[in-house]
Amino acid sequence: MDQTFASSGTGPGIDAGKVAALADEVLDWRFKALPPAAWGLSVRDYLATRPGLADLGTPLLTLDAAALDHNVRTMAAWCADAGVALAPHGKTTMAPALWKAQLDAGSHGITLANLPQVRVARAFGVQRILLANTLLDPAGLAWLAGELDADPAFSFVSWADSTESVRLMDEALRAAGAGRPVEVLVELGGPGGRTGTRTVEEAVEVAAAVLRAPTLRLAGVGGYEGALAHDATAEGLATVRRYLRELAALHTRLSGAQADGEPVVTAGGSAYFDLVVEELGGLTDARVVLRSGAYIGHDDGFYRGISPLVRGTGERPFRSALHGWAQVVSRPEPQLALLDAGKRDLPFDEGLPEPQLVRGGAALTGTAARISTLNDQHAFLRDAGDLAPVGAVLRLGISHPCTAFDKWTMIPVLDAADAAEPQVTGLVRTYF
């Protein structure tokens, strides 16, 4: 029986065998996080040597096992309590092992942003995918049609925001001889936002075009409120609410237009998912799907300040699972130290890394120590005084998980980043 994205239950997940086989990958020079002592060993065999953080070089990005587990469980419980589904954005991590953890915790599916990411997911057997984008590439649509026709259990939905995009999708799918229709969500945007129609009336026209296209099936509506605000001010929150009410109005306008099945209404990054539930959670005739992704790593920057579980009740806040590690390689001036991690290693688009502690030494949080800028391969640490001598290794808090994971193909997982001597308990493989 053909699957639809809104099918009830948590549904199919991911091929556990293919994820488990990642432990067989042989380590070598391709993985900058790992020392030569790991080369020639499989992931499994290297972990059996019980390496510690001190055995790894710098620059380095690590994950905290307990924080990861806490974040996955916390978000799953929050969504269950709110009565909404979660299809976490897989582009944050592009890590099948972390996708599996999210799916095992009850996630409805995995959201992705482009066709290469979808291909990674299909390579690992992900069975329910939401593409938060419009797919127009004829070759890509032909590949997708083949995937859908070959696997009746595969559920896929993408977006459209214009009648022209609908026409192009339909033409390409017809040319490919597609058997199963591709499910489509009409995307509503907003003034100054990203993609999406700018009015409900325009969105209704797009929906009508989808209904006329034999290769497509209208599955619901979607959008992204995070493109319309970037803070938790009263004005920013009000803008998000107005947009979400427009999305609800669009769903109401299209109510009953779907050929069959439960319609999908999807929104929700990691900054405003509480507002999504408040404004859309009452839609009893639709499956409301959140697409939050950054929560799994959280951070010590942007999301620490804006997360709903911080600015809301704060009862179950997420924990930062991501940390950078860098060594002081130069002290050319009394209040300037150069670290061996830069833009190629750590995110910087949503704020610079923050110095937290010297490994095996003093705490830097609360001192005057700060990172003032990043070059490609260096960080400028200022006002650390005598706390950061040449040779010292510093732990750095980072801001914005989405631009942290993509800089590393293999990320060590520590038992506890706060421990005196953290141990490596896992390695997370990413595919960007």
Side-chain angles (χ1 to χ4, degrees):
M1 178 178 175
D2 288 355
Q3 299 293 312
T4 62
F5 189 83
S7 297
S8 61
T10 56
I14 193 169
D15 190 322
K18 290 182 178 179
V19 175
L22 291 170
D24 299 324
E25 183 162 16
V26 175
L27 304 172
D28 56 28
W29 51 266
R30 293 172 296 158
F31 306 112
K32 67 178 183 177
L34 303 177
W39 297 358
L41 300 177
S42 68
V43 169
R44 181 183 296 102
D45 291 343
Y46 178 60
L47 293 176
T49 69
R50 298 182 59 81
L53 176 64
D55 297 315
L56 307 180
T58 55
L60 184 64
L61 184 80
T62 62
L63 291 163
D64 184 290
L68 281 174
D69 181 69
H70 169 83
N71 293 346
V72 168
R73 292 177 183 274
T74 295
M75 190 62 179
W78 192 94
C79 290
D81 290 346
V84 298
L86 174 65
H89 213 318
K91 60 95 175 172
T92 298
T93 67
M94 287 306 295
L98 297 183
W99 296 346
K100 182 177 184 299
Q102 293 168 306
L103 289 163
D104 288 349
S107 289
H108 185 71
I110 295 293
T111 297
L112 295 162
N114 59 35
L115 190 62
Q117 294 172 7
V118 172
R119 287 174 174 149
V120 172
R122 288 301 290 159
F124 283 88
V126 176
Q127 288 291 79
R128 186 178 280 130
I129 294 173
L130 190 163
L131 178 64
N133 210 336
T134 301
L135 179 56
L136 299 180
D137 170 44
L141 285 164
W143 173 83
L144 174 64
E147 289 289 298
L148 289 168
D149 290 346
D151 185 357
F154 175 35
S155 169
F156 176 88
V157 62
S158 65
W159 291 2
D161 71 352
S162 69
T163 57
E164 180 66 7
S165 63
V166 171
R167 184 186 68 79
L168 292 171
M169 292 176 71
D170 182 48
E171 285 184 357
L173 290 167
R174 286 175 187 249
R180 287 176 59 188
V182 173
E183 291 191 292
V184 174
L185 304 180
V186 176
E187 182 190 1
L188 179 69
R194 203 163 59 189
T195 53
T197 67
R198 289 325 195 225
T199 68
V200 169
E201 293 301 326
E202 291 173 351
V204 170
E205 293 178 7
V206 176
V210 173
L211 290 169
R212 291 192 299 268
T215 62
L216 304 177
R217 176 186 176 274
L218 183 61
V221 301
Y224 178 50
E225 75 290 344
L228 304 175
H230 202 67
D231 55 48
T233 63
E235 181 181 0
L237 298 180
T239 297
V240 170
R241 287 189 184 278
R242 284 194 298 270
Y243 166 74
L244 292 170
R245 290 166 185 168
E246 286 287 287
L247 192 61
L250 173 59
H251 163 71
T252 299
R253 285 284 299 274
L254 300 180
S255 181
Q258 288 82 3
D260 53 54
E262 184 181 37
V264 170
V265 178
T266 178
S270 294
Y272 306 109
F273 57 80
D274 58 333
L275 303 187
V276 174
V277 169
E278 290 175 18
E279 299 296 338
L280 303 180
L283 298 176
T284 57
D285 59 342
R287 178 174 291 274
V288 177
V289 180
L290 299 183
R291 305 191 310 277
S292 314
Y295 75 88
I296 190 170
H298 198 48
D299 69 10
D300 287 307
F302 176 72
Y303 286 106
R304 178 179 61 189
I306 202 171
S307 170
L309 301 194
V310 173
R311 58 177 171 77
T313 63
E315 294 177 355
R316 295 180 294 184
F318 298 124
R319 302 176 189 169
S320 177
L322 285 159
H323 298 96
W325 302 84
Q327 187 173 41
V328 178
V329 294
S330 177
R331 290 294 305 261
E333 300 172 15
Q335 294 302 323
L336 173 63
L338 279 301
L339 312 182
D340 65 351
K343 294 179 180 179
R344 302 294 178 90
D345 312 300
L346 303 173
F348 56 92
D349 58 314
E350 291 286 2
L352 294 171
E354 65 172 34
Q356 294 182 333
L357 57 83
V358 177
R359 193 178 71 197
L364 296 173
T365 301
T367 72
R370 60 191 172 85
I371 302 295
S372 63
T373 192
L374 293 182
N375 288 164
D376 281 358
Q377 310 291 176
H378 291 92
F380 286 66
L381 174 69
R382 298 188 184 276
D383 302 326
D386 297 330
L387 298 177
V390 171
V393 174
L394 277 59
R395 191 183 83 188
L396 306 173
I398 64 95
S399 181
H400 200 196
C402 297
T403 51
F405 282 90
D406 66 337
K407 295 172 174 56
W408 299 85
T409 52
M410 192 76 78
I411 305 176
V413 180
L414 305 180
D415 56 352
D418 290 331
E421 295 293 339
Q423 297 298 301
V424 179
T425 60
L427 295 173
V428 169
R429 182 71 155 95
T430 67
Y431 294 88
F432 284 94

